[in-house]
Amino acid sequence: MGDPPGASDPDAHLLKDPLFRAYLAGRLLSQLVTRMQAVVVGWHIYEISADPVALGYVGLAMFVPMVLFGLLIGDWADRVSRSLLMTLSSVILALATGGFLLMALSGVDQVAPYIALTAVFGTGAAVQRVALPALLPQILGPTRLAGGVAWASSAGQFAIIAGPAIAGLLLILGLEASYGATTLLALASGLLWWRLQIPPATESGVAAGDSMVERVVEGIRFVWRRPLILGAISLDLFAVLLGGVVALLPVYAKDILASGPLGLGLLRAAPAVGAVLMAMTLARFPLKRRAGPLFLGAVALHGIATLVFGLSTSLSLSCLALALAGSADMVSVVVRTTIVQLATPAPMQGRVNAVNQVVVSASNELGDFRAGVMGGLIGVVPAVVTGCVAILGVTLLGAWLWPPLRRLDRIQDAVAESENSVNERPGAAKT
């Protein structure tokens, strides 16, 4: 799809585009559902089990569907309407949250049924994670994409702020009110995506005779052969995998900070507060130079800020540290997402974003699983501290392994840098 009218000024009038505004609204509703549900389920499971390992299994249940179906969804996203896939995602999320509501009303107090239903919820979330970013370049075109990514990230982060805060308040009213609210929001988001009616992306880059396996492998090969894309995705994987603390927030809120469900909502919202402020700043003042070094620095800062959180016994300091970690993470997210979308041809957006989202899901959900298991084995605070120290080492290793990432200057150079660096060996200097 070409750039819409007015695209000659890449950063102007994005919010005047009705299609883009509808996309932002849909993103807000869809991510409200997933973020509210994460808080409610985490609190509910820990309330039932009093075991941080059980929280790790929640993360694992969210991760498995992405691994099983993510690449298949990416192939679909290159061949069918991506807004239709978002509608399907909302329907699955509504069915899952409705199931949680029925179990809560029935007084089910075993962990296993909730973990199983979390996997169903994770399937809907997997569809969302692949189709949602792949839809954005189709709406904006390449020249307005960097500004659009920042605005879209702002909407998503606003949902991450509002979702945990709303969930914390709803938990005071009861689990039934919390699950009921997420069900209604999922239905509302499905209606919005259904009305959006974005046509399928062009299939000009997909050979008619290719099998699904061949198309999926093509997407994986595309990422593997481009160190700039591979480096940005991989560094994000290991940083969040080692530094993930979301699964342990119920433990911090209840046992370390003694702040209850409202404190849990504040802790869950704090990273998003920092992230949305940074996203709005980047939307107003897009990154101009030194994008690669800023990405690496942001990953390191995220680890340092999370380390402060892990050692804190003050709710205010913990929220401040998480907000700083969120702002650093937003810099890395905007750079990584823009690199992936700029350097990927339109007919392959679904498959490449699927690879990206499988990795992101691995970092988030497996990071939660690692944190929960390590918290049970060595203690919650040591689990956080050791992971954050490891992040700093991973950042240095990533800077050496992927030279195109550390030398990337202007974000717009991602296309040329990606193509020039095909098959460049890790750690090599550019000649």
Side-chain angles (χ1 to χ4, degrees), residues 124-185:
V127 177
Q128 178 190 122
R129 288 174 179 172
V130 174
L132 194 58
L135 187 56
L136 185 58
Q138 197 177 351
I139 292 174
L140 292 181
T143 60
R144 302 194 300 170
L145 186 58
V149 167
W151 279 114
S153 298
S154 298
Q157 292 297 329
F158 181 80
I160 298 174
I161 294 173
I166 294 171
L169 292 173
L170 287 172
L171 279 171
I172 298 174
L173 300 178
L175 290 166
E176 295 82 0
S178 304
Y179 289 131
T182 54
T183 302
L184 291 175
L185 282 175

Side-chain angles (χ1 to χ4, degrees), residues 21-69:
R21 289 202 307 270
Y23 173 87
L24 291 181
R27 187 183 183 108
L28 175 63
L29 287 177
S30 297
Q31 294 195 338
L32 272 175
V33 173
T34 54
R35 298 303 175 174
M36 289 173 61
Q37 183 76 356
V39 173
V40 176
V41 171
W43 183 263
H44 192 183
I45 293 297
Y46 191 63
E47 192 175 59
I48 292 173
S49 66
D51 184 1
V53 176
L55 298 176
Y57 284 116
V58 172
L60 187 63
M62 286 291 292
F63 167 68
V64 168
M66 191 71 211
V67 172
L68 293 179
F69 308 123

Side-chain angles (χ1 to χ4, degrees), residues 136-307:
L136 185 58
Q138 197 177 351
I139 292 174
L140 292 181
T143 60
R144 302 194 300 170
L145 186 58
V149 167
W151 279 114
S153 298
S154 298
Q157 292 297 329
F158 181 80
I160 298 174
I161 294 173
I166 294 171
L169 292 173
L170 287 172
L171 279 171
I172 298 174
L173 300 178
L175 290 166
E176 295 82 0
S178 304
Y179 289 131
T182 54
T183 302
L184 291 175
L185 282 175
L187 292 172
S189 67
L191 179 61
L192 190 151
W193 291 117
W194 174 256
R195 296 182 61 184
L196 198 55
Q197 299 289 322
I198 301 294
T202 176
E203 295 186 8
S204 60
V206 181
D210 285 352
S211 68
M212 183 193 69
V213 173
E214 289 171 328
R215 294 191 300 268
V216 169
V217 169
E218 182 185 8
I220 297 173
R221 186 183 297 117
F222 181 90
V223 173
W224 183 258
R225 295 184 63 200
R226 285 158 178 81
L228 180 63
I229 299 177
L230 180 64
I233 293 176
S234 300
L235 191 57
D236 182 87
L237 163 67
F238 289 107
V240 180
L241 178 64
L242 294 169
V245 296
V246 172
L248 298 176
L249 292 184
V251 184
Y252 271 86
K254 191 169 185 177
D255 298 338
I256 296 177
L257 302 175
S259 56
L262 187 58
L264 174 61
L266 292 174
L267 291 173
R268 289 297 298 258
V273 172
V276 75
L277 292 174
M278 179 58 70
M280 294 177 67
T281 300
L282 293 175
R284 180 66 181 86
F285 304 102
L287 292 175
K288 300 294 185 182
R289 307 301 298 267
R290 299 184 61 77
L294 283 173
F295 173 83
L296 294 168
V299 173
L301 180 58
H302 178 271
I304 294 171
T306 306
L307 176 62

Side-chain angles (χ1 to χ4, degrees), residues 294-377:
L294 283 173
F295 173 83
L296 294 168
V299 173
L301 180 58
H302 178 271
I304 294 171
T306 306
L307 176 62
V308 172
F309 161 77
L311 297 173
S312 170
T313 56
S314 163
L315 179 61
S316 57
L317 177 59
S318 297
C319 289
L320 181 62
L322 289 175
L324 180 59
S327 65
D329 186 56
M330 179 49 57
V331 175
S332 66
V333 165
V334 168
V335 174
R336 172 175 53 83
T337 303
T338 306
I339 286 173
V340 170
Q341 293 182 342
L342 280 177
T344 303
M348 296 187 65
Q349 285 284 340
R351 284 165 289 167
V352 172
N353 271 294
V355 176
N356 184 29
Q357 291 304 317
V358 167
V359 171
V360 170
S361 179
S363 64
N364 289 330
E365 273 69 51
L366 282 183
D368 287 349
F369 181 65
R370 180 211 67 85
V373 171
M374 292 296 292
L377 291 175

Side-chain angles (χ1 to χ4, degrees), residues 54-149:
L55 298 176
Y57 284 116
V58 172
L60 187 63
M62 286 291 292
F63 167 68
V64 168
M66 191 71 211
V67 172
L68 293 179
F69 308 123
L71 298 179
L72 173 62
I73 296 167
D75 181 55
W76 290 348
D78 284 337
R79 303 176 69 82
V80 304
S81 168
R82 292 162 184 170
S83 60
L84 180 61
L85 284 179
M86 287 302 302
T87 305
L88 175 63
S89 166
S90 298
V91 170
I92 297 173
L93 295 179
L95 290 174
T97 53
F100 277 102
L101 174 60
L102 290 176
M103 286 200 297
L105 289 170
S106 301
V108 176
D109 59 358
Q110 300 297 314
V111 171
Y114 292 102
I115 299 296
L117 201 51
T118 296
V120 177
F121 187 88
T123 301
V127 177
Q128 178 190 122
R129 288 174 179 172
V130 174
L132 194 58
L135 187 56
L136 185 58
Q138 197 177 351
I139 292 174
L140 292 181
T143 60
R144 302 194 300 170
L145 186 58
V149 167

